[in-house]
Amino acid sequence: MFRERDGVLIPTEGFEIDTEVVVVGSGPGGAVVAEKLSSYGIKVVVLEEGDYVKAEDLPRSRNERPLRAFEKVYRNGGLTVAFSTAPGRPPVPIPLGVGVGGSSLINSGTSLEANPETFEKFKDFGINISYDAIKPFYEEVESFLNVSPVSDENLGVHGRIFLDAAKRLGFSSGPLTRNVRGCKGCGQCQYICPENAKLAMHISYIPKAIRQGAKVIARSRVAKIIIHNGRAVGVEGEVKVPKEEGGFLKFKFRVFARVVVLSAGAIYTPYILKKSGVNSPACGNYLTIHPGIRVSALFDFKINQWLGVPQGYFVDEFKKYGIMIEGVSVPPLVGAMTLPFFGKKFKSLIEKYAYVMSTGVMVSDSTFGRVLSLPFYDEPIMIYNLSKKDAENFKLAIYYAAKIFAEAGAKKIFPHIFGLEEITPDEIEKLKDMKVKPSYLEPMAFHPLGTCRMGASEYFSVVDGNCKHHSVENLFISDGSIFPVPLGVNPQLTIMAFSSRTAKFIAEEYFS
């Protein structure tokens, strides 16, 4: 029925299992719930659609490793996209991880607490959860994952000169905190850390959950929740077993449980609910994505931005505008796709890639998107229209990033704005007067949230303050979809803190 690798079960045929809690998804939400519940002696089964991929399964080469990672642990090869429905709005790629560990496999390890003011906004939705109430769960996760600031050495040249320039300008900034132990600054965090230094879920919470008795099953895609008399009693779906001659054999599975926890992320959790007929008014609505864009610069000395932590520093001086600046360095193979120009001009620039540095700017959403389920299409559809307000905030963010680059000694700056491909430090002020429409930008996003948000109202939210579904008994949600407002920072740590809190509630209410 299963073969085993490091305790992870890989199906060889269909199966049917009875357990106490079934968790759908093994990313930061699902992994923490599984570990916490199993630590109480509760029987847990974790179902993961993707494969179990380890660091040694990918080549070490800086050029080849990203390609294999996109193939093995990025959903749709990294080409998951939110489409626009309004004229002049750009599509927004939203890369998602798929595999044991979820998106923790492909993120940069950034682990930030949300600001206390963010929790105050929860009250607008009837949720009275303060920062002080979440702080113990933050501390628990931070301790287990050794969350600590990036060292000066691991910042790399790009991180050090950008951060030094920001400080000279008087901007609030510093090294980011990350879930790492023994980081060597090899710059490949987004492609499964080759040193296993980034404490992603597949080498931290998942192994501990397995040691405590949890069953983690890979290659098992959940299609729907089994509901009986208004209660969630399990899940069912399909496993794919590779054939020697190529292709797959498909088998059905079912897992019956006393409690069901959806941790499939802000895109797939509402999709599973919709496919299960649990389509409450707010389900799939209120999608926020924390859109971001890159700003690049050319120097007259070598940067080698692929060396050092890709996302090692932050500038939060402009958080009152919802702006966060963080590192976003990538190896040449990936970086080539992010640079401007065509033909000979592009060739000339890519030949100087060692002298190029990029940074990322993110803006807290002022608008919402949606996740849709279509009758004859077996994937969710994301709709998101970048707002004019956010486009203007991006212009401001680009302006300040350009100022920092200029202070750091850049000779040319690439704002990545349509019609303004290249400027010199002397031309930065022209950004202030430029009108920037959403269509002038090439945004990406990495932090989808909000599609099954918490709230007191069953019409405007999906779960209550304990992350329990409003209308289906024994059903909980534990991932980024629960947050009623944008967090303004990378959400991984907050997802894990809330997951620990949810697991504690489940244990006390159902198994004490």
Side-chain angles (χ1 to χ4, degrees):
M1 187 180 299
F2 300 102
R3 63 182 178 86
E4 186 178 317
R5 186 184 186 194
D6 300 333
V8 175
L9 303 178
I10 301 169
T12 56
E13 58 185 4
F15 57 89
E16 191 168 293
I17 296 175
D18 289 318
T19 189
E20 291 179 315
V21 179
V22 59
V23 180
V24 180
S26 64
V32 173
V33 164
E35 187 280 321
K36 188 84 169 179
L37 289 174
S38 61
S39 74
Y40 295 129
I42 297 166
K43 294 179 181 178
V44 180
V45 170
V46 180
L47 298 169
E48 168 56 49
E49 175 185 349
D51 209 343
Y52 176 45
V53 183
K54 301 173 65 178
E56 56 263 36
D57 297 333
L58 301 176
R60 296 282 300 195
S61 163
R62 292 185 189 279
N63 285 328
E64 193 177 356
R65 190 178 186 88
L67 291 176
R68 299 287 79 81
F70 282 124
E71 176 187 314
K72 290 180 175 292
V73 293
Y74 279 76
R75 189 178 290 278
N76 303 321
L79 296 177
T80 308
V81 176
F83 299 98
S84 62
T85 56
R89 301 299 198 273
V92 185
I94 306 178
L96 303 173
V98 60
V100 175
S103 287
S104 73
L105 296 171
I106 66 167
N107 67 23
S108 293
T110 301
S111 301
L112 299 174
E113 296 183 2
N115 293 321
E117 305 83 53
T118 300
F119 294 92
E120 292 299 309
K121 297 176 184 177
F122 287 16
K123 293 178 181 178
D124 295 339
F125 302 87
I127 300 298
N128 190 21
I129 300 175
S130 67
Y131 170 81
D132 289 340
I134 295 298
K135 183 62 176 175
F137 299 103
Y138 271 137
E139 291 173 345
E140 175 187 301
V141 175
E142 289 164 348
S143 174
F144 182 66
L145 293 181
N146 194 45
V147 172
S148 50
V150 177
S151 69
D152 188 66
E153 178 185 5
N154 284 337
L155 273 173
V157 172
H158 60 96
R160 288 194 293 271
I161 67 172
F162 194 92
L163 201 51
D164 287 347
K167 289 186 180 300
R168 287 197 299 272
L169 291 171
F171 296 161
S172 172
S173 55
L176 285 166
T177 50
R178 304 169 66 240
N179 56 318
V180 297
R181 182 176 287 112
C183 176
K184 298 179 180 179
C186 66
Q188 300 201 66
C189 311
Q190 303 100 319
Y191 318 113
I192 302 184
C193 172
E195 304 293 341
N196 284 330
K198 184 183 72 173
L199 300 182
M201 300 303 100
H202 72 300
I203 55 174
S204 54
Y205 277 97
I206 290 292
K208 187 177 180 186
I210 291 172
R211 291 194 298 270
Q212 292 169 171
K215 290 183 170 64
V216 178
I217 307 175
R219 298 183 185 173
S220 303
R221 175 171 175 148
V222 171
K224 67 177 185 178
I225 306 161
I226 304 170
I227 299 172
H228 181 69
N229 291 336
R231 295 175 178 270
V233 297
V235 297
E236 61 182 36
E238 185 176 77
V239 301
K240 294 171 103 175
V241 179
K243 296 189 292 185
E244 289 186 9
E245 63 273 20
F248 295 89
L249 295 173
K250 296 180 180 180
F251 299 96
K252 301 293 183 183
F253 72 84
R254 285 188 172 186
V255 178
F256 294 98
R258 184 173 169 187
V259 173
V260 175
V261 181
L262 280 183
S263 299
I267 309 304
Y268 280 81
T269 284
Y271 176 73
I272 292 171
L273 287 172
K274 289 171 179 285
K275 287 293 186 180
S276 305
V278 187
N279 196 9
S280 53
C283 182
N285 295 334
Y286 309 112
L287 170 67
T288 63
I289 60 174
H290 206 192
I293 59 175
R294 65 196 176 280
V295 185
S296 306
L298 181 67
F299 291 76
D300 60 4
F301 55 89
K302 281 191 176 181
I303 301 294
N304 295 332
Q305 66 171 324
W306 57 87
L307 301 177
V309 173
Q311 194 172 75
Y313 60 83
F314 71 89
V315 179
D316 65 353
E317 175 73 18
F318 318 105
K319 62 184 178 182
K320 66 180 179 181
Y321 304 113
I323 292 170
M324 185 74 160
I325 301 176
E326 294 180 3
V328 63
S329 299
V330 290
L333 180 73
V334 181
M337 297 183 285
T338 71
L339 295 179
F341 309 129
F342 297 94
K344 291 181 180 180
K345 202 169 183 180
F346 171 78
K347 181 176 182 293
S348 175
L349 182 57
I350 195 63
E351 286 173 346
K352 299 173 184 174
Y353 192 76
Y355 299 81
V356 172
M357 179 165 63
S358 299
T359 195
V361 296
M362 295 179 290
V363 169
S364 291
D365 317 53
S366 65
T367 187
F368 297 114
R370 291 183 295 159
V371 175
L372 306 177
S373 171
L374 302 180
F376 304 108
Y377 187 64
D378 197 27
E379 290 289 336
I381 300 292
M382 288 179 286
I383 303 296
Y384 188 89
N385 295 314
L386 187 71
S387 72
K388 293 179 181 179
K389 178 181 178 181
D390 291 346
E392 283 296 306
N393 279 339
F394 270 128
K395 181 184 75 172
L396 186 63
I398 293 166
Y399 170 78
Y400 285 116
K403 295 279 280 186
I404 297 171
F405 274 136
E407 176 66 25
K411 300 306 177 185
K412 294 181 181 179
I413 298 162
F414 310 112
H416 298 286
I417 298 174
F418 177 75
L420 192 68
E421 286 80 12
E422 177 183 317
I423 57 175
T424 65
D426 294 336
E427 298 172 314
I428 289 174
E429 294 303 318
K430 71 168 61 174
L431 282 166
K432 280 189 172 180
D433 299 323
M434 183 179 183
K435 183 170 180 59
V436 175
K437 298 179 181 179
S439 60
Y440 292 4
L441 302 171
E442 298 176 353
M444 292 188 71
F446 304 90
H447 307 149
L449 305 172
T451 50
C452 295
R453 65 187 187 178
M454 292 185 289
S457 165
E458 294 188 25
Y459 189 84
F460 293 106
S461 63
V462 176
V463 296
D464 64 17
N466 293 309
C467 299
K468 182 179 179 182
H469 198 277
H470 282 309
S471 59
V472 180
E473 289 295 318
N474 306 342
L475 176 61
F476 289 80
I477 296 176
S478 186
D479 55 33
S481 68
I482 64 169
F483 297 112
V485 297
L487 298 178
V489 297
N490 308 56
Q492 173 177 248
L493 193 65
T494 305
I495 290 171
M496 290 191 281
F498 270 80
S499 296
S500 182
R501 176 179 179 272
T502 299
K504 184 173 184 290
F505 177 82
I506 291 172
E508 291 173 350
E509 291 296 312
Y510 289 82
F511 298 99
S512 60

